[in-house]
Amino acid sequence: MAGHSKWANIQHRKGKQDKLRSKLFSKLAKEITVAAKMGDPDPEKNPRLRMAVKEARSSSVPKDVIDRAIKKSLGGDAENYEEIRYEGYGPGGIAIIVEAMTDNRNRTASNVRSYFTKHGGDLGQTGSVSFMFDRVGEIMYPASAGDADTVMMAALEAGAADVESDDEGHWIYTGDSDLAEVSAALEASLGESETAKLIWKPQAPAEVADLDHAQKLMKLIDTLEEDDDVQNVTANFDLTEDVAAQLG
């Protein structure tokens, strides 16, 4: 499926989640706090919070960290975070979307701009690259959930828009406003998914076949992801198997 799982595997092989585990926990906890503050603190009554808690659990965030994040939203001491999207081009003209959650817009904008500049990219205006992506819901199941035909039938019956399967697992796509409903329907037929979240899905990923180009691009993405204000980074590229193996 257009390199999606290969990319996930590269991230895994690099030990990226282990290296940034504390940062990952912090980012997921921030999303939980904001989701709870914006809506109901009960995940069953708040779809965004429910998805945030699911994502945290799938990343092995301890229950007490999740509970603390929800309680923080009720205590009145939670920071007022603003959600901001930045768009730009990385080395080689690869389109990049950066989603941030910040209590200081000027700090975050300055940092993101400097990362792009330092690593051979160019920060653009909002809307400059997002037209190359679709805003969709993504629900991921492991390969053990069933064969491709079984998952496809369950997904279609649940109201999903598309399914992509390979040896690593199944990625089920929905309209952005249908994620919670489709996710709940799938749980009844396939059990609980590993993740369910809104993503920016590249429409036509650009192939990166040059190792030096790939290394520069990965450095920019790594630097962006290491920023405490940045929640998600999405780029429209696909590594060739040869380059992926060298990076891994």
Side-chain angles (χ1 to χ4, degrees):
M1 55 169 293
H4 187 295
S5 57
K6 278 189 290 182
W7 170 240
N9 286 342
I10 292 162
Q11 298 285 59
H12 180 70
R13 285 204 303 272
K14 288 174 68 187
K16 188 171 182 59
Q17 286 199 337
D18 287 336
K19 183 180 75 172
L20 298 176
R21 184 161 296 274
S22 63
K23 282 188 179 293
L24 176 67
F25 282 12
S26 175
K27 291 175 191 289
L28 293 169
K30 186 191 289 187
E31 167 63 19
I32 288 170
T33 299
V34 169
K37 190 173 183 180
M38 290 174 63
D40 195 292
D42 180 355
E44 294 306 313
K45 299 176 184 176
N46 182 336
R48 177 172 173 173
L49 177 57
R50 187 163 65 249
M51 297 301 172
V53 169
K54 177 193 281 285
E55 186 73 9
R57 286 175 178 162
S58 74
S59 298
S60 303
V61 175
K63 186 177 184 299
D64 65 312
V65 173
I66 294 172
D67 291 342
R68 268 203 314 274
I70 294 175
K71 287 176 182 174
K72 187 176 182 182
S73 73
L74 304 173
D77 59 345
E79 296 87 345
N80 288 314
Y81 291 112
E82 181 180 5
E83 294 179 281
I84 308 174
R85 185 176 81 238
Y86 300 96
E87 302 179 25
Y89 291 93
I94 297 299
I96 299 176
I97 292 178
V98 181
E99 294 172 280
M101 203 176 278
T102 179
D103 58 358
N104 186 324
R105 176 190 280 260
N106 291 336
R107 176 192 66 222
T108 308
S110 175
N111 287 346
V112 170
R113 185 177 298 280
S114 71
Y115 302 148
F116 272 88
T117 302
K118 181 179 179 181
H119 296 287
D122 182 30
L123 186 63
Q125 299 295 318
T126 300
S128 60
V129 306
S130 56
F131 67 91
M132 290 185 264
F133 298 76
D134 294 319
R135 187 63 166 168
V136 300
E138 180 189 68
I139 304 165
M140 190 271 173
Y141 278 90
S144 58
D147 59 37
D149 289 340
T150 299
V151 173
M152 172 69 81
M153 287 304 298
L156 294 177
E157 288 175 9
D162 191 21
V163 182
E164 296 176 353
S165 299
D166 65 14
D167 293 342
E168 302 295 329
H170 310 279
W171 286 263
I172 299 166
Y173 296 100
T174 76
D176 56 353
S177 61
D178 301 330
L179 176 59
E181 184 179 339
V182 174
S183 179
L186 282 168
E187 283 191 16
S189 57
L190 297 178
E192 188 167 356
S193 61
E194 286 198 357
T195 64
K197 58 188 175 181
L198 288 172
I199 66 162
W200 292 95
K201 188 173 186 286
Q203 295 168 357
E207 185 173 89
V208 176
D210 179 76
L211 180 61
D212 181 60
H213 176 190
Q215 287 173 331
K216 289 178 179 176
L217 184 60
M218 292 302 303
K219 183 62 178 174
L220 170 57
I221 291 173
D222 284 350
T223 302
L224 285 164
E225 288 184 336
E226 285 169 11
D227 189 285
D228 289 339
D229 295 333
V230 173
Q231 292 292 100
N232 298 295
V233 180
T234 309
N236 71 336
F237 72 100
D238 183 19
L239 302 173
T240 62
E241 290 188 10
D242 181 51
V243 168
Q246 293 181 74
L247 278 180

